[in-house]
Amino acid sequence: MSAERWLLFWLLLMCLVIGVALTTPEPAGGHGVPHDGHAAMLKGSPTPPPDRILLLGWLFGLTQIGFFVTCMSLGISHSIRQGRGSLWFLFGVGTLAYAGSLTMMSIANRTAIRSEHFSFLGWFPAATSWMLFGMWSAPLLFVLAYLVGFDRWIIPPESLARFEELVAANQSSSSASEQSADPD
Amino acid sequence: MEAYRSQIILGSVALYMLMCIGVGLWAMRRTKDAHDFFMAGRSLGIFVTSVAVFSSTMSGFGFVGGPGLVYQMGMSSIWMVVCTAIGFALSFHLIATRIRLFAELRDSISLPDAVGSRYRSRSVSFWAAVAILLGVIGYLAAQIRAMATVLKNLLDDILGGYVSETGVPLEVCVAVSCAVLVFYCVTGGIIAGVYTDVVQGVMMVVAAILVCWAAMSAVDGGFRGMSETLVQDDPATISPWGTMGILGSLSWYFVFALGGAGQPHVVTKMMMTKKVSDIRLMLPLSIIGYSFTALLWISIGLAMRALVLQGHHPDLVHADSAAPQFLQSYTNPLLAGLVFAGLLAAIMSTADSFLNIGAAAVVHDIPRAVRGESLGNELFWARTATVLIAVFASLFSLYAGERMVALLGAFGWGTFAAALVPTVAIGFNWKRATPLAANVAIITSLVVNFGVKFFQVQLPWGFDVGALSLLLSLVLFVSISLLSRTPKLDDDIEAVMEL
């Protein structure tokens, strides 16, 4: 299946997940209520989120990751034929790390909500640490792929040379048309 | 030193504004034609472009609104910055190289210019320019109002009693702050814009690191102490989803991660590098810079919420005052001066980019789309348009009413994302994308975003409307393109898309 059809697949899956989530009845104050002691603060919903919403949220996150990775694959040079194996390996590891962080964060958060025990991992509750250090940094593997593979996968030297030829051809044709438009 | 706090802060801001004027004068000598005015002669180096990219992305919203949102709803809004790495990775994988190639191939001087070449369609170029112009007016009005409000607070501290009961009039503050902005934008065009961005970006990074340190010192136990205080009061606040919940938070993540690839003021900067290969190092540099500035967003919001909950600081009436009050109460006057100047820098670095792309839309893109050619003597008209747009946005910010400003301000990120991510980010990498699909995506974005804000529609579970409009425009764009016949492209464009 082509990358564009994968894009459509992820988008339709995302629509389905969001459609089901948005038609699930929301309890009063489902996305925050005013804080009882401080005017400009909000507090979390008095009703813990149902498992159905937590599951749909996790699926929404996974479909986003699938969509983002497919999008990035669109930006890979169309002309390369060899050496894609190591690129897809990096992309695969990056996707697993990214989806793994989301999953670990979701599990840690659900465990904390249900047990009402907030164990800490470093400076923050475990789920928040997964968010700040896992979700933030896992995509750095895609950055690494871009950095080390720029000449191989993004714009190889032969593509740059071909581009220079195109620019030169455009410039010569535009100067020729200027000369023909100006008989002097 | 404490006795002179207000004077030190105002002095720092005045020095910063003088620096902007100096850069404008310097850049004026390097701006010889419209190509320099809009594209900086496509001669920028790696460091300059990287700093310009991240400092334009981080606007005044990040320095004032961001900490306010964290104070108000805990971790929910931090999803807007957790997406930094994936957001920049997406923008660079999808756009950076491709738009740079198009810019050189067709000598494009704006994003709609490149869009028109890619789709071989004046209508797509026209609608892209209209979306950009509407967004620019709204965003710019919001930035000017923020800039004037910051200046008014500073001037009132010193001059308030001598002027009137209500302090220095807002109109005067708008005039002063806009005069500096317009001066360097008119004289030096985007060259002045990017070089002031460099100074502004460095100031923002230094200020954010120092403020983060100050925030950790202000609360016993640092971040661990803040977290424990928040858990005791309301565990949801410091959980990954904050008070907004899982769907609202992840919808922000979607819009901000993917939306970066559709911000015209950022994408345009990617067209200005001297060499295509420079783009490689711009990605990590932009991420590092933006991540450092985001420290201010996170640390002030969490620290102020913890300090108020612990009873060490009086309750805030407005969440947006979290940053100013923290700076007034918990930082050294010199640092406060640097941060207030950094705050103006954050606002101005975004505003100057908007002024420039707005002028390009008026002088170059819309006339070309309508009558096939841009205005004669483009440099003169570009400077005139820059002044007129700034004046219009200033009047709009003062007299259109807060709702109207907010309404068009909301056009900003979400509308650009929904209009330009499909058209540019996907369309520049996919030969099958059609002009019809691009037009539908842009118009859908304008109608949905404006309509929803105008009728104040709210979605359940805190789901962000911008995310829905982005999803809708993406689905329409991909579906219409797949259902249409493969469009005919110009040979050189097709060749570049195959590289």
Side-chain angles (χ1 to χ4, degrees):
Chain A
M1 195 155 75
S2 67
E4 296 79 21
R5 287 177 195 277
W6 272 110
L7 281 185
L8 189 61
F9 167 77
W10 289 119
L11 287 170
L12 294 177
L13 200 57
M14 215 183 287
C15 287
L16 181 70
V17 170
I18 291 168
V20 174
L22 293 185
T23 50
T24 302
E26 183 187 14
H31 52 280
V33 293
H35 196 287
D36 32 23
H38 303 281
M41 287 186 197
L42 295 174
K43 287 180 78 168
S45 170
T47 321
D51 277 346
R52 177 189 166 97
I53 285 295
L54 292 178
L55 178 67
L56 288 166
W58 175 70
L59 287 172
F60 179 36
L62 284 185
T63 52
Q64 284 189 40
I65 291 170
F67 182 74
F68 292 162
V69 175
T70 311
C71 276
M72 284 188 285
S73 75
L74 278 181
I76 301 303
S77 171
H78 296 196
S79 62
I80 55 166
R81 295 283 176 271
Q82 293 179 330
R84 277 176 177 251
S86 40
L87 168 71
W88 297 138
F89 175 75
L90 263 178
F91 263 50
V93 173
T95 309
L96 282 177
Y98 198 7
S101 296
L102 174 74
T103 306
M104 290 304 294
M105 179 187 68
S106 303
I107 291 171
N109 186 55
R110 186 183 177 281
T111 308
I113 292 172
R114 297 293 178 249
S115 67
E116 296 189 357
H117 174 69
F118 292 83
S119 59
F120 276 67
L121 188 63
W123 289 336
F124 302 99
T128 309
S129 287
W130 275 107
M131 169 205 185
L132 289 174
F133 302 111
M135 291 293 285
W136 197 324
S137 59
L140 290 177
L141 283 163
F142 303 114
V143 177
L144 183 70
Y146 192 86
L147 201 58
V148 300
F150 189 82
D151 294 333
R152 276 182 286 172
W153 306 315
I154 305 298
I155 181 94
E158 54 271 25
S159 297
L160 265 182
R162 169 85 182 111
F163 174 69
E164 298 300 335
E165 289 170 16
L166 288 167
V167 173
N170 264 11
Q171 283 170 347
S172 61
S173 69
S174 64
S175 59
S177 62
E178 274 171 24
Q179 279 177 0
S180 62
D182 180 9
D184 296 330
Chain B
M1 194 182 281
E2 275 301 321
Y4 297 103
R5 173 176 278 269
S6 300
Q7 286 84 344
I8 290 172
I9 293 173
L10 195 61
S12 309
V13 169
L15 267 179
Y16 161 73
M17 287 188 162
L18 282 175
M19 183 278 302
C20 290
I21 291 170
V23 172
L25 288 170
W26 169 79
M28 184 166 66
R29 299 169 63 181
R30 295 183 56 178
T31 305
K32 296 182 175 63
D33 56 24
H35 198 258
D36 292 332
F37 193 87
F38 292 125
M39 277 289 115
R42 241 187 355 260
S43 62
L44 301 182
I46 298 172
F47 181 75
V48 172
T49 322
S50 308
V51 178
V53 163
F54 91 73
S55 64
S56 313
T57 311
M58 176 64 82
S59 66
F61 168 73
F63 266 38
V64 177
L69 282 176
V70 177
Y71 176 85
Q72 185 183 39
M73 55 176 62
M75 300 301 284
S76 308
S77 79
I78 290 179
W79 285 95
M80 295 179 196
V81 290
V82 164
C83 66
T84 303
I86 188 66
F88 278 107
L90 275 165
S91 297
F92 275 77
H93 271 95
L94 282 170
I95 306 249
T97 319
R98 200 67 67 182
I99 194 84
R100 175 62 183 75
L101 296 178
F102 276 120
E104 186 172 344
L105 184 72
R106 290 295 183 92
D107 212 12
S108 306
I109 62 169
S110 66
L111 186 57
D113 219 4
V115 166
S117 304
R118 153 63 185 89
Y119 287 97
R120 228 179 159 211
S121 161
R122 280 201 218 165
S123 65
V124 184
S125 178
F126 173 79
W127 282 111
V130 168
I132 287 173
L133 190 60
L134 282 173
V136 161
I137 297 290
Y139 236 140
L140 200 56
Q143 299 288 327
I144 288 171
R145 199 176 175 96
M147 198 161 53
T149 307
V150 171
L151 196 61
K152 179 177 164 55
N153 286 336
L154 293 177
L155 290 173
D156 281 350
D157 269 356
I158 297 173
L159 304 171
Y162 302 105
V163 183
S164 72
E165 278 184 9
T166 53
V168 180
L170 193 62
E171 289 83 353
V172 173
C173 300
V174 166
V176 171
S177 48
C178 259
V180 175
L181 177 69
V182 168
F183 179 82
Y184 77 79
C185 287
V186 167
T187 51
I190 199 66
I191 297 179
V194 290
Y195 281 97
T196 48
D197 282 356
V198 171
V199 181
Q200 290 157 353
V202 171
M203 281 172 61
M204 285 155 67
V205 169
V206 173
I209 293 172
L210 294 176
V211 164
C212 182
W213 182 259
M216 288 174 69
S217 310
V219 180
D220 285 342
F223 278 120
R224 178 72 183 237
M226 298 176 208
S227 297
E228 284 171 351
T229 304
L230 267 60
V231 164
Q232 280 168 13
D233 175 63
D234 174 32
T237 321
I238 191 71
S239 81
W241 314 122
T243 63
M244 183 80 121
I246 186 168
L247 290 171
S249 299
L250 283 177
S251 63
W252 273 345
Y253 188 68
F254 183 58
V255 175
F256 280 83
L258 195 56
Q263 302 306 307
H265 56 301
V266 180
V267 173
T268 305
K269 301 261 166 68
M270 295 171 174
M271 299 162 77
M272 298 176 192
T273 54
K274 194 184 294 177
K275 291 186 289 183
V276 178
S277 55
D278 289 349
I279 294 167
R280 172 193 212 154
L281 285 175
M282 280 169 53
L283 173 57
L285 286 174
S286 304
I287 292 178
I288 291 168
Y290 191 89
S291 299
F292 274 125
T293 55
L295 288 175
L296 186 144
W297 180 320
I298 299 169
S299 59
I300 289 187
L302 289 178
M304 280 304 282
R305 184 152 177 142
L307 287 164
V308 169
L309 287 171
Q310 289 169 352
H312 295 318
H313 192 90
D315 200 15
L316 302 185
V317 179
H318 300 293
D320 278 350
S321 58
Q325 289 214 16
F326 179 85
L327 295 174
Q328 292 285 4
S329 310
Y330 301 99
T331 59
N332 178 288
L334 287 174
L335 174 58
L338 176 69
V339 178
F340 270 107
L343 168 61
L344 279 180
I347 298 171
M348 287 169 110
S349 61
T350 308
D352 61 28
S353 310
F354 279 124
L355 265 181
N356 195 266
I357 59 170
V362 171
V363 173
H364 184 80
D365 303 323
I366 293 177
R368 265 174 78 111
V370 172
R371 55 181 208 149
E373 58 180 335
S374 48
L375 300 180
N377 195 359
E378 243 181 353
L379 182 58
F380 168 78
W381 287 115
R383 286 180 161 142
T384 309
T386 303
V387 176
L388 292 177
I389 291 172
V391 169
F392 182 74
S394 303
L395 294 174
F396 191 73
S397 76
L398 283 171
Y399 303 115
E402 286 202 7
R403 176 149 188 253
M404 198 60 199
V405 174
L407 198 63
L408 275 185
F411 244 72
W413 192 278
T415 306
F416 287 148
L420 299 177
V421 166
T423 308
V424 178
I426 310 286
F428 276 40
N429 290 285
W430 185 30
K431 287 195 292 182
R432 180 127 186 215
T434 65
L436 174 66
N439 279 331
V440 169
I442 295 170
I443 294 168
T444 301
S445 145
L446 294 176
V447 170
V448 173
N449 276 293
F450 196 80
V452 163
K453 291 290 172 189
F454 189 79
F455 294 108
Q456 296 182 317
V457 176
Q458 286 204 329
L459 296 172
W461 299 102
F463 199 86
D464 182 59
V465 171
L468 195 67
S469 114
L470 174 57
L471 186 59
L472 189 62
S473 70
L474 279 165
V475 169
L476 288 171
F477 179 81
V478 177
S479 316
I480 292 171
S481 295
L482 282 173
L483 292 171
S484 309
R485 290 170 59 184
T486 305
K488 173 87 181 102
L489 302 175
D490 290 338
D491 291 343
D492 57 338
I493 295 289
E494 186 162 7
V496 165
M497 293 189 74
E498 282 172 358
L499 290 177

